[in-house]
Amino acid sequence: MAQKVRFTETVLRDANQSLMATRLPYSDMEKILPTMDKAGYYSVECWGGATFDSCLRYLNEDPWERLRNIRKLMPNTKLQMLLRGQNLLGYKHYHDDVVEKFVELSVKNGIDILRIFDALNDFRNIRTALEATQKAGAIASGCISYTQSPVHTPAKYAEMCKELQTMGFDTICLKDMAGTMSPAEAESLFKGIKDAGVTLPLILHTHCTTGMAYMTIMKAIESGVDIIDTATSCFSNGTSQPATESIYYALEQMGIETGLNEKAINEVNDYFKPIKQKYIDDKTLNPKSMGTDAQALVYKVPGGMLSNMIANLTEMKAMDKFDAALAEIPAVRADMGYPPLVTPLSQMVGNQAVTNVLVGERYKNISKEIKSYLKGEYGISPAPVNAEIQARVLKEAGMEAPLDCRDEDSKRTGEDFAKAREALGDLAKTEEDVMSYICFPNQAVKYLEGRKAKEENMATYSIVEC
Ligand code: CO
């Protein structure tokens, strides 16, 4: 039987987020949706991540309405979203009832697949979202944040995958957000996962940032990966995903079935070419993000973290400390129990390394965020944290032991939603409005006030017309 590899197209979400800060409005995607619906993708990632925030904050769009519109024009394709477990779309820990409601509404408005992850791979933080997804009848994809460290061995990843399988997820995704997974690592990872007895479909999500993604995807396919994330070619490469059409052609020649419709995927690219040009012209799309930057491989930290650190040091006129700060990162990361370097942990670790070097003494000043982390507010770290620093922070806070963030259960009140509804008053017309407010209060109020004003104007206008 021929090997099959299916594709998730990311142009509407991750490619849009990685290359142009999620500024693609619905009006720029609407016309191509019926064609995308015929392309034969496994799924189209179209929601979650920064799309929700960007809709409200910059595009004056209701993210729920966008989702319903995409659903209408793509009735035959699975629509996928990215969800940060108990943090939903942000970094705050929400109560279970809010998480349950969010998932229920997402599925009601059109989502078929929820890819659920936790920045620390603390799977207690994704269980509520998993159960809510199952209850809503959608597909739950358990997602692991990929990172490299002495404790992140292939055996450890295989163990995590087995845990996700036992929890009841439908598929498993390895999410390499920094694009640092090498072909050799992909091979040992995916082979190791299969050998450990994981039978669920495996997905690889990576980025071209460091230039390795095509090679890594090829090795992953040889090693048994079932689904890959790609972006239509004009929105591919750089900090985005590898190109859909290129991988399609490569796989077809190798006799691997993709299920893709060649004509449709080429039409999708033709459609997006002038749109991309428009955003290059108005500087929304920075050509820098389209290049390859292998620095992350050299320094072993994600590109975004490096640029954040350079910006901080430049601002403090301390660029001469760059090498020392860079060398301090692995030490801080080890003290923190090797968290994956994703937002917000990458910034937290980077900033603490800079502080340690500038102050000239390790942890003399500890940032508020690192203190919260050591108090257990972010979840369980992959390896134990430095006990001495943690003890200092706990003592200062008058705590005997770190928090168990699943204490949320005991705090579960069911009032969050009601309180938010009350706060919004007549601005909220639907449960979706209330949920927008819970996730992004300021942006939601701004959007909802604008909508109300527009409706009132229209009402006045129609009276005049009568
Ligand atoms: Co990504």
Side-chain angles (χ1 to χ4, degrees):
M1 207 174 67
Q3 188 182 355
K4 282 197 184 100
V5 172
R6 303 293 312 274
F7 287 58
T8 290
E9 171 61 52
T10 67
V11 64
L12 304 184
R13 204 289 292 180
D14 203 352
N16 167 20
Q17 182 170 333
S18 300
L19 295 180
M20 47 180 285
T22 332
R23 296 296 160 56
L24 198 67
Y26 175 71
S27 54
D28 274 339
M29 56 182 85
E30 184 174 24
K31 283 198 185 67
I32 197 63
L33 297 177
T35 308
M36 289 181 77
D37 198 35
K38 293 187 206 123
Y41 305 121
Y42 165 72
S43 64
V44 165
E45 194 194 34
C46 64
W47 217 58
T51 57
F52 205 97
D53 183 19
S54 183
C55 275
L56 292 167
R57 193 191 295 254
Y58 302 110
L59 302 170
N60 195 28
E61 272 186 48
D62 181 344
W64 302 96
E65 192 184 349
R66 173 187 287 204
L67 176 57
R68 287 192 298 272
N69 286 335
I70 297 175
R71 172 80 289 166
K72 234 181 272 161
L73 294 178
M74 296 184 69
N76 304 304
T77 304
K78 290 194 183 76
L79 300 185
Q80 183 174 316
M81 74 170 294
L82 182 66
L83 191 75
R84 209 176 239 274
Q86 207 73 20
N87 305 141
L88 298 179
L89 304 169
Y91 305 110
K92 195 184 145 191
H93 221 80
Y94 292 98
H95 288 169
D96 285 344
D97 55 345
V98 171
V99 174
E100 283 158 9
K101 193 76 189 168
F102 185 91
V103 170
E104 181 200 317
L105 291 176
S106 302
V107 175
K108 189 179 141 204
N109 282 271
I111 289 294
D112 299 291
I113 303 174
L114 286 99
R115 179 180 286 173
I116 308 165
F117 79 107
D118 174 71
L120 283 174
N121 294 322
D122 181 345
F123 294 158
R124 298 171 313 159
N125 290 337
I126 61 176
R127 187 179 287 283
T128 305
L130 161 69
E131 286 167 2
T133 302
Q134 288 169 328
K135 194 173 159 209
I139 296 171
S141 186
C143 183
I144 298 171
S145 310
Y146 177 75
T147 189
Q148 288 122 328
S149 89
V151 299
H152 289 89
T153 58
K156 165 114 177 173
Y157 283 108
E159 195 186 295
M160 287 196 258
C161 289
K162 278 171 83 174
E163 196 181 335
L164 292 176
Q165 180 163 289
T166 309
M167 283 171 82
F169 280 99
D170 300 298
T171 61
I172 295 174
C173 172
L174 261 78
K175 177 177 159 67
D176 173 26
M177 46 273 160
T180 55
M181 186 192 292
S182 72
E185 284 166 346
E187 185 176 21
S188 56
L189 267 174
F190 285 103
K191 280 192 175 154
I193 294 167
K194 293 263 175 191
D195 288 348
V198 175
T199 52
L200 295 180
L202 299 177
I203 304 166
L204 174 59
H205 173 87
T206 185
H207 288 253
C208 293
T209 324
T210 70
M212 286 205 294
Y214 289 88
M215 298 179 279
T216 301
I217 279 189
M218 233 11 150
K219 270 290 171 202
I221 289 172
E222 278 176 25
S223 312
V225 90
D226 301 281
I227 298 160
I228 52 171
D229 286 9
T230 61
T232 193
S233 57
C234 66
F235 270 92
S236 71
N237 297 334
T239 51
S240 176
Q241 273 75 48
T244 307
E245 304 95 285
S246 313
I247 297 186
Y248 161 79
Y249 284 110
L251 297 190
E252 286 288 309
Q253 283 187 3
M254 293 164 74
I256 296 173
E257 283 177 21
T258 63
L260 289 178
N261 173 336
E262 185 181 337
K263 187 167 166 276
I265 58 172
N266 284 317
E267 274 176 39
V268 170
N269 186 44
D270 287 341
Y271 171 84
F272 278 109
K273 273 185 217 164
I275 289 176
K276 173 189 172 186
Q277 193 55 49
K278 181 170 85 177
Y279 291 108
I280 290 179
D281 293 344
D282 80 1
K283 299 200 164 48
T284 302
L285 203 161
N286 181 350
K288 238 180 153 181
S289 67
M290 311 223 45
T292 300
D293 184 353
Q295 265 195 329
L297 302 174
V298 180
Y299 296 118
K300 308 283 179 211
V301 296
M305 185 172 166
L306 216 55
S307 45
N308 183 54
M309 212 167 89
I310 292 172
N312 279 350
L313 287 170
T314 309
E315 198 181 312
M316 291 184 274
K317 299 202 175 11
M319 260 312 276
D320 58 313
K321 300 279 194 320
F322 178 70
D323 289 335
L326 206 54
E328 178 67 6
I329 287 177
V332 174
R333 193 167 172 231
D335 288 334
M336 297 305 130
Y338 299 104
L341 295 176
V342 287
T343 314
L345 292 153
S346 48
Q347 288 87 333
M348 285 158 55
V349 168
N351 293 347
Q352 187 63 48
V354 167
T355 306
N356 285 358
V357 166
L358 291 184
V359 174
E361 188 185 330
R362 281 196 173 143
Y363 307 105
K364 189 172 181 201
N365 295 346
I366 304 178
S367 72
K368 192 173 134 254
E369 290 80 13
I370 291 282
K371 281 183 185 166
S372 307
Y373 176 87
L374 291 170
K375 284 190 255 173
E377 288 174 22
Y378 289 79
I380 295 177
S381 53
V385 299
N386 181 317
E388 200 187 310
I389 309 167
Q390 185 177 41
R392 232 180 75 200
V393 168
L394 292 179
K395 194 175 163 207
E396 186 194 284
M399 291 164 68
E400 276 174 19
L403 287 170
D404 175 353
C405 64
R406 285 308 298 161
D407 275 352
E408 291 304 321
D409 280 333
S410 54
K411 284 190 256 159
R412 189 172 160 178
T413 58
E415 281 172 3
D416 295 359
F417 202 82
K419 262 191 220 150
R421 188 189 284 274
E422 204 182 293
L424 273 180
D426 68 346
L427 280 180
K429 297 240 184 307
T430 60
E431 289 190 319
E432 285 81 353
D433 290 341
V434 179
M435 195 50 82
S436 298
Y437 175 77
I438 290 175
C439 292
F440 299 101
N442 299 336
Q443 292 81 293
V445 164
K446 195 181 121 216
Y447 170 79
L448 294 172
E449 278 174 349
R451 185 179 74 182
K452 191 178 169 204
K454 204 168 129 199
E455 280 166 5
E456 282 168 0
N457 278 341
M458 276 168 67
T460 322
Y461 183 69
S462 55
I463 292 165
V464 175
E465 279 295 282
C466 285

